[in-house]
Each structure stands twice: as structure tokens, then as C-alpha cells.
Amino acid sequence: MASSQNALLTDSVQSSDAEAQQPRQGIVLEFDRLGYVIKGKTILHDVSGRAEGGEMLAVMGPSGAGKSTILDILAKRAHATSGTVTVNGDANPDMRSLASYVEQSDALLGVLTVQETIRFAARLSVDWSTPSSVVHLRVASVISELGLTDVVHNRIGNAVQRGISGGQKRRVTIGSALVAMPRILLLDEPTSGLDSRTSREVLLAIKNVARMHGMLVIASIHQPNWQTISLFDRLLLLAQGRTMYFGPTNRLDVFLAEGLDQPVPKHANPTDHALDIVTTDFIVDPGKRSKHVSVLADKWLAYLSAHPPDRVLECWNSEKGLLLHGRGDHALRHISNGVLDDCYKTALLMERNALNYSRNLLAYGVRLGMYLGMGVLLATVWVNLAQTAAKVNDRLSVHFFSVAFLGFMSVAGIPAFLEERQVFVRERQNGLYGPGPYVLANSIVTLPYLFICALLFAVLCYWSIGLNPGAEQFFRFLGVLFMAVYVAESQSTLVAAVIPIFVAALAIASFWNGFWMCVGGYFIRAVNLPRFWYYWAHFIDYQTYAFDLLVYNDFHGITLDCATESDGSCFCDYPSSLITKGQCSLAGDDVLVALGIRGIDFKLYAVILLLIALFYRTLLYIVLVLKKR
């Protein structure tokens, strides 16, 4: 079965490469004397190495050795303080188009199945014109090779719904990167959460694909058994950011015996023995720790000088000026991102978002239930408001509560957005798409779900309360409410993008909504607001415009009965222009005059609401452009 899947995968990649009208060429990655210092602490010190397509390079070392840091530098996610990284001689390679990076954490959408997750990753990694058969073959091959066939239709799982195991999630994350067929695959602790047998099988599958398609694999790995580490062609052993060994994996035991005079005990794992030697965690004296590592590093340099690498290995020691050149430069194929490609990626993201939102209770399911409950609550508490002047303040409360509560509940979508954002960050850093398609897809797919929430609320409470009757007034009420909810959603999304920590984002978004309530003109009339707040906060508050529009829509053109006193006089809660005409009534427009909103332009206010939403969405795009992690 595995061989047939490999054949399918070969066919799929050949088809994909044929579209590029050029073959995949050999790839050589070299890093020379890499140094990395942060806040005065040296993380890497003159680390050098080399690897070619079709090979697997393991990066090992105790905790804090700099394993993840060197992967970040190779992926161009961090900038080395010193040294260079070249790909086929190019000192400025476009790693986003060449490499896929699998981090330690699994950033996945919990409501998608294993097959859906890997299929979307495959579709996002290819050109818009790539045949669907190519994608299908890639997905089927990767699922089979990674041993995910039995859970192919299982959902990943999230906080609400249990899904696949942690080890299976790890394999799905690896599969999402592997299915893109990158030239370079970087893996940070790919075997975490996997048992020894599964770890070996997963790495063996990666090795087979790497050999078959000339893919270069570099993986940090903690402490594997010998069967697992022997799958790697080369080993880079680090301690406190310094090189302890770099060479063929199967020559490690020779170096330990000849270079360090510490031969591997019988039946012992050479990598375990090497880690025992270089680990300094239990040396109390910092000076002794540093000295121990320096001695080992010097012994490695001395051994390398005495045993120059052959041309098959082509490794180097730049500290001694020893460098054996590779096979020469090769032209690199870069992925082009045109308008058609952006449209294709946007459509794919819209499809995935729609699937996610329709299943994810944390996205809109919870809010739909809350809007349903609050619609019933308003319909029963404010039921059949009398068309009298005494009920004016009650009607105002309905409009304020509708805008404020529905807007406030936008914070309930923050957990779903943060999950989605993690996936976006991973896929964006791997070069699948940029902030533009993501923001556009999110902005569009959100619309129908929020509209359903607003519609459900409006249908439940509008006529039960007894607001301004008529279809036109109802649809205006619904439209204004929907726009207000969309602005609030955009605001909460922006906060979560700036502060991608759930508790902090929830606190800031809640405070922001509370602030808008204070300056909106309901609790204290706008004309009575302190001038400092009135001249800026009041006029950029989306609740100001939504509340005014709802009030205008309800009161414009209606007449409310006033109370008749015992002496026969007429009493209205607001100044009435109808009393002078002999009517004991209050015109709804008189209420609007008293509130200072009689002369508003309904269309203008609606456009302002739309502009505020666009402003927040633009800010979201800018934040995602600037905030890359």
C-alpha cells in the first residue's frame, strides 16, 4: 500500500512540476558561523553546517541549546547577529516560497476533519490552475504515509468537542506542511507526543518523500532512540549554542570514542551517551558549565582539523577556515502571487471559514443562542408597549439595549478568532497566502452569520414590543442592527489581533464597548456630555449612530397619546407641538427634536456606520501585516 501511495505522490508532484515547465533542481543549504545574541545573552555561537536535497539533518542538544533558534534563523523568522545562510549560493533566498516550518504547537481548526485539514493545506499550496487530481493524490498519499487512514474522517477537536489524540494532531500538522511539497521542510520537535514506534514511522515517511523528491529536511529532535535517529543522514549536536558535533549520524560513536575519549557503552544509544556528556543542567557553578562546554567544543574543532571531511560529506568548519565547496548553484523556482492567485486563495479561505463557522459553537453558535434568549427576554419584558408619551423612555431603552447588548456580545467570538489566527500565522509564515486574502475572506464570510443573528433577534422582539409598525420600518431596524453588530464584530476582531491573549483581549474589548455606552448619548444626553468627550468620543462611537438611527426609525411619523390630568389639562412627558393644535398627543418628531436628532440624514448615518466598519477592517489588515507572530 505504501509503495502504491508513493507512486501516486510521485505522479502528483511530477504533474505539478510540469505546470511550472521546469524540473525540480537540487537544493543546497549552507549556514556559516551563525551567531545570535539577544539581551546580552549568546544563544548561538559560530554554528556552521551544510545539507542537501534528499537528506535529513537532525539538530539535537539539551534544553536551551539553541535548537529552535537555529531553525528560526534558517527559516528567516529570526535574523542572525552574525554569519550567513545561503541556498544554492543565494545569500537572500525567499524562504517563504521554499520552506515549510512545523512548529512545536499544533495550530489547527478543531472542527475540521483530518482529511479536510490536509486537503485545504494542499489546495492553498498550489497554483489556481493546478488540476484537482494532483491535490487529491497528494492528500491521499500523505494521509496514508503518516498513518492517519483510520481517523481520516474524525474531527481535530477543540475545547467543546473531543477529537483525535495529541499524537495524531502532531501528524496532521506535519502532513499539512508535507503536502505542500516544499523544497525545504523545517520541523521543530516533530516527534513530541508520539511514541517511539510512531515517531520512527512518521520520520521514515518523511525520509521516503524527501529522498523521492529531493526535499531537504531539518528537524530539531530531543532524545530519540537509535532506530529513529539513524534515519537522519547528518547530525548537528549543540550545547549552549556551540557545536559539539556535525557530521554523519552513523559516525557519532566514532567521534565520541576518538575525539572525546568517551566510547559509547555496550548496548547504549550513542545519542543518549552524547547528550549525557554535553548536558550541563546539573552543574551548579555557571563558570564550570561554560568551561565544560568550551572544552568539548574545542575537542570537536581539534578532531575536525585532524580528520578533514571527505567530499561526500562536504561539511565544514568555518572557525578553522576549512570549507569544501558543494556542487554549484542551481536556479530556484519562486512562487508567483498574482491577482488570480489572491482571488483563488481568498475563495478557498472563504470556503474553509464557512465550514468552520457553521460547525464551531464558539464562533456563532453561542451567540446565536444568546441572541435568541435576549430576543425572547425583550419580547416578554417590554411586551406590547403602549403608544403613549409615558412609554417614550421605555422605547429608548429598547433601542439602546439592542445596540449595546448585541454589540457587547461580539466578544464571544474572540476564542474562535484566536484559533483561526493561529492557523493564519502558521500558513502565512509558510508562504501560503498573505493578510489580504485572509482579512477579505474573514470580512465576507462573517456577514451572513451575523445577519442571521440579527434577524433572529429582530423577528422575536420587534412586533412583540410594538415598535413602529410597517415592513419598511422593520427592515430599517434590522439593517441598522446588523451594521452595528458587524462594526462591533470588527472591533473585537481588531482587539484580538493586537492582543492575541484571550483574557486580555476579552477585557480590552469589554472595556471598549462599555466606553462607547457611556458616550453614546443614552445614559447622559449628548448635549450634556462634557465637551472633551462630546467633540471626539461621541462622534466616533458606532453606538451613537446606530442608536440615533433606531430611535429615528421608531419615532419618525408616529403619534403618542398624552395623559389627561384631573383638571382636564393635557400632560406630555416631552414638549408637544400638537397641544397647541388642540390635540392631547405627542408627535414622535417632537421626541426627536428634544433628543437633538430630528434633522439627521438617515442615509448619511448609515454610510458612517459602514465607514467605521471598513476602518476597523483596514486596521485589522495593517495589524496583521505588522504583527507577524
Side-chain angles (χ1 to χ4, degrees), residues 526-594:
V527 294
N528 295 328
L529 276 171
R531 298 299 90 179
F532 173 76
W533 298 114
Y534 177 77
Y535 284 116
W536 72 274
H538 177 71
F539 287 105
I540 64 173
D541 181 1
Y542 78 93
Q543 292 188 18
T544 295
Y545 300 98
F547 175 71
D548 287 353
L549 286 175
L550 292 183
V551 172
Y552 185 91
N553 182 64
D554 186 31
F555 283 92
H556 180 61
I558 66 170
T559 302
L560 305 171
D561 295 331
C562 293
T564 302
E565 301 290 351
S566 57
D567 60 358
S569 61
C570 182
F571 174 78
C572 295
D573 294 71
Y574 284 79
S576 173
S577 61
L578 298 180
I579 294 180
T580 58
K581 299 179 181 180
Q583 301 180 37
C584 187
S585 302
L586 174 66
D589 290 318
D590 292 333
V591 177
L592 300 179
V593 170

Side-chain angles (χ1 to χ4, degrees), residues 598-616:
R598 173 65 181 86
I600 68 171
D601 187 325
F602 197 95
K603 292 182 180 179
L604 175 62
Y605 270 39
V607 169
I608 292 174
L609 267 180
L610 178 61
L611 291 177
I612 294 175
L614 292 176
F615 176 73
Y616 282 147

Side-chain angles (χ1 to χ4, degrees), residues 2 12 31 35 107 129 192 249 257 318 320 380 385 415 421 424-425 432 451-452 459 464 518 566 570 593 608:
S12 73
F31 45 100
S129 60
S192 61
T249 305
S318 53
K320 295 295 184 181
T380 53
L385 283 180
R421 181 188 177 277
F424 159 73
V425 170
L432 298 185
F451 182 78
I452 291 172
V459 168
S464 298
C518 292
S566 57
C570 182
V593 170
I608 292 174

Side-chain angles (χ1 to χ4, degrees), residues 115-162:
Q115 185 180 56
E116 289 167 346
T117 300
I118 297 179
R119 187 175 69 240
F120 275 115
R123 295 171 67 189
L124 286 167
S125 67
V126 298
D127 187 73
W128 63 272
S129 60
T130 303
S132 59
S133 58
V134 172
V135 175
H136 175 74
L137 291 175
R138 282 191 183 186
V139 172
S141 300
V142 167
I143 289 175
S144 175
E145 292 287 352
L146 294 180
L148 295 169
T149 304
D150 291 340
V151 295
V152 67
H153 298 300
N154 291 18
R155 294 188 182 182
I156 303 298
N158 53 26
V160 177
Q161 183 181 28
R162 185 176 179 180

